């Protein structure tokens, strides 16, 4: 054939069957037809190098086999590990992951949500807290689109959710520093903290009722900038509300000629890969990040296949990883 676009009609004509038969065979329903018919259709497809038109196929099947995943900051290794867990499950089930990185920008997140809806993705994984429940209601619930929120945003009873036990994690961090003899401690966290981070602080407050709160961005630079306030205080230990902040604290303390753990004990939260590559290796509260991604994807696929089932909320446990950035107070 010349340069004209090959259509399903051409494949049907060459194989001597109906367009409907070709469509069924190429869309995974070959078992309904004789091996000879299937062989003829596949041979014609191969000969013409025919690829089904994605949008036409979507209109017929009412499925795009894509899932929109919205994260606030892909540069944070927590989210890259999370997405790997999500993508592994979706790939196994022949779904494509459409990743949207919102750069902690609320307007961008809301726009992405609307854009994914226009593109007809089959489901949404929202790993970002900045999207308001109002935006979710207007864009997703109103249209009965399957979605799931995780980690940073509580479901509030109107969607499936996968969370980790942030309260327990904060309490574990506090217990560890208390057992090491620390009594004056700082917590470095954002001023307008998301619910999961507030829960870490609440857990920590079970052990230390009045820690010094130092506000910073959830980033390495945020941790670095917090060091000035840390040094100006009398604290001996620091709870960084995530590992990214802890890494920044490492650099800031080194620049101020302070050492970990001799001058300050530091504990992080998440247990991203870099924790083991720091000097000293970072003590942290470990979230099952990859498993969190897997569980989220599995729960969303269940929702797509069973739209009417009851809402489900899963909570995964956390544990402390004791390394070398925390030590007994001398």
């Amino acid at each position: 054939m010349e340069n004209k676009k090959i259509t399903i009609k051409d494949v049907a004509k060459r194989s001597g069957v109906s367009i409907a038969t070709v469509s069924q065979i190429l869309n995974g329903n070959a078992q309904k037809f004789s091996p000879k018919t299937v062989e003829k259709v596949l041979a014609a497809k191969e000969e013409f190098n025919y690829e089904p038109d994605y949008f036409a196929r979507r209109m017929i099947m009412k499925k795009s086999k894509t899932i929109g995943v919205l994260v606030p900051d892909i540069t944070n290794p927590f989210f890259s590990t999370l997405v790997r867990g999500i993508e592994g499950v979706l790939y196994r089930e022949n779904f494509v992951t459409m990743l949207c990185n919102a750069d902690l920008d609320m307007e961008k997140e809301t726009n992405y949500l609307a854009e994914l809806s226009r593109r007809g993705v089959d489901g949404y994984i929202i790993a970002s807290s900045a999207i308001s429940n109002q935006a979710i209601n207007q864009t997703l619930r109103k249209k009965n689109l399957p979605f799931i929120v995780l980690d940073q945003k509580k479901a509030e009873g109107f969607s499936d959710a996968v969370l980790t036990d942030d309260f327990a994690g904060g309490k574990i961090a506090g217990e560890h520093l208390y057992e090491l003899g620390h009594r004056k401690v700082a917590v470095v966290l954002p001023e307008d903290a998301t619910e999961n981070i507030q829960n870490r602080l609440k857990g920590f407050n079970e052990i230390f009722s009045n820690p010094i709160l130092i506000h910073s961005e959830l980033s390495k630079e945020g941790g670095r900038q917090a060091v000035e306030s840390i040094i100006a205080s009398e604290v001996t230990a620091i709870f960084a509300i995530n590992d990214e902040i802890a890494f920044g604290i490492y650099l800031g303390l080194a620049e101020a000629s302070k050492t970990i753990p001799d001058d300050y004990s530091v504990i992080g939260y998440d247990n991203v890969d870099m924790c083991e590559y720091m000097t000293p290796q970072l003590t942290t509260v470990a979230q099952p990040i990859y498993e969190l991604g897997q569980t989220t994807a599995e729960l969303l696929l269940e929702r797509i296949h069973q739209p009417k089932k009851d809402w489900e909320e899963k909570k995964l446990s956390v544990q402390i990883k004791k390394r070398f950035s925390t030590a007994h107070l001398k």
Side-chain angles (χ1 to χ4, degrees), residues 177 182-188 204 208 210-214 226-239 249 253 258 262-266 329:
L177 295 180
H182 297 280
R183 297 297 180 266
K184 293 179 179 177
V185 298
V187 182
V188 183
F204 194 78
F208 293 98
N210 288 304
I212 289 176
L213 300 183
I214 298 171
V227 166
E228 188 179 341
S229 300
I230 290 168
I231 291 173
S233 72
E234 296 181 348
V235 304
T236 60
I238 305 145
F239 175 31
I249 290 170
L253 288 176
K258 303 292 183 183
D262 297 338
D263 295 315
Y264 296 96
S265 283
V266 178
L329 187 62

Side-chain angles (χ1 to χ4, degrees), residues 11 13 25 35 52 54 74 92 100 113 150 169 185 201 218 221 227 232 242 250 252 270 279 294 311:
V11 177
K13 192 174 178 182
I25 289 171
Y54 171 81
I74 200 63
R92 190 181 71 214
C100 297
L113 204 58
L150 81 160
V185 298
L201 179 61
L218 271 176
E221 188 54 34
V227 166
N242 75 352
Y250 266 60
D270 282 341
T279 304
Q294 289 180 308
W311 297 125

Side-chain angles (χ1 to χ4, degrees), residues 137-155:
N137 281 335
Q138 287 175 350
T139 309
L140 303 181
R141 285 191 78 196
K142 202 182 271 184
K143 300 177 184 175
N144 283 324
L145 298 168
F147 69 97
I148 186 167
V149 294
L150 81 160
D151 186 52
Q152 303 206 40
K153 188 173 188 65
K154 195 139 175 60

Side-chain angles (χ1 to χ4, degrees), residues 36-286:
K36 192 173 180 182
T37 300
V38 172
E39 193 181 325
K40 280 196 294 188
V41 168
L42 295 180
K45 174 185 181 288
E46 197 71 29
E47 180 188 341
F48 289 154
N49 200 18
Y50 169 72
E51 285 296 333
D53 182 281
Y54 171 81
F55 293 103
R57 184 178 173 189
R58 189 183 167 270
M59 285 176 75
I60 294 164
M61 299 178 70
K62 309 295 185 201
K63 290 275 183 279
S64 65
K65 299 294 278 187
T66 57
I67 300 294
V69 180
L70 204 54
V71 299
D73 180 16
I74 200 63
T75 64
N76 181 340
F78 172 89
F79 290 107
S80 47
T81 303
L82 181 80
V83 171
R84 275 184 51 238
I86 291 169
E87 192 270 341
V89 170
L90 295 181
Y91 179 77
R92 190 181 71 214
E93 299 297 324
N94 297 315
F95 279 80
V96 171
T97 306
M98 192 177 285
L99 179 65
C100 297
N101 173 46
D103 288 326
L104 301 166
D105 179 335
M106 188 171 175
E107 187 182 349
K108 196 174 175 186
E109 293 185 338
T110 307
N111 288 341
Y112 265 142
L113 204 58
E115 189 56 43
L116 288 169
S117 173
R118 276 195 293 273
R119 287 167 188 259
V121 300
D122 293 329
Y124 304 75
I125 293 173
I126 300 170
S128 178
S129 62
I131 286 191
S132 68
N133 287 341
Q134 184 186 356
I136 289 172
N137 281 335
Q138 287 175 350
T139 309
L140 303 181
R141 285 191 78 196
K142 202 182 271 184
K143 300 177 184 175
N144 283 324
L145 298 168
F147 69 97
I148 186 167
V149 294
L150 81 160
D151 186 52
Q152 303 206 40
K153 188 173 188 65
K154 195 139 175 60
E156 298 183 6
F158 66 66
S159 86
D160 297 309
V162 185
L163 310 165
T164 56
D165 198 341
D166 289 294
F167 183 87
K171 189 174 179 183
I172 289 167
E175 285 169 344
H176 178 62
L177 295 180
Y178 194 89
E179 285 164 6
L180 294 175
H182 297 280
R183 297 297 180 266
K184 293 179 179 177
V185 298
V187 182
V188 183
L189 76 169
E191 190 165 10
D192 189 15
T194 53
E195 187 172 348
N196 64 325
I197 286 175
Q198 288 175 26
N199 285 336
R200 291 173 202 176
L201 179 61
K202 285 175 187 170
F204 194 78
N205 286 342
E206 290 281 296
I207 311 301
F208 293 98
S209 56
N210 288 304
I212 289 176
L213 300 183
I214 298 171
H215 294 126
S216 79
E217 288 181 5
L218 271 176
S219 64
K220 290 187 277 288
E221 188 54 34
R224 187 184 187 184
Q225 289 171 0
V227 166
E228 188 179 341
S229 300
I230 290 168
I231 291 173
S233 72
E234 296 181 348
V235 304
T236 60
I238 305 145
F239 175 31
I241 216 76
N242 75 352
D243 292 337
E244 287 281 279
I245 286 177
F247 301 151
I249 290 170
Y250 266 60
L251 178 57
L253 288 176
E255 289 170 337
S257 301
K258 303 292 183 183
T259 58
I260 301 169
D262 297 338
D263 295 315
Y264 296 96
S265 283
V266 178
I267 184 169
Y269 202 106
D270 282 341
N271 195 36
V272 300
D273 288 351
M274 274 301 293
C275 293
E276 294 189 82
Y277 293 88
M278 302 300 289
T279 304
Q281 291 180 329
L282 179 64
T283 296
T284 191
V285 177

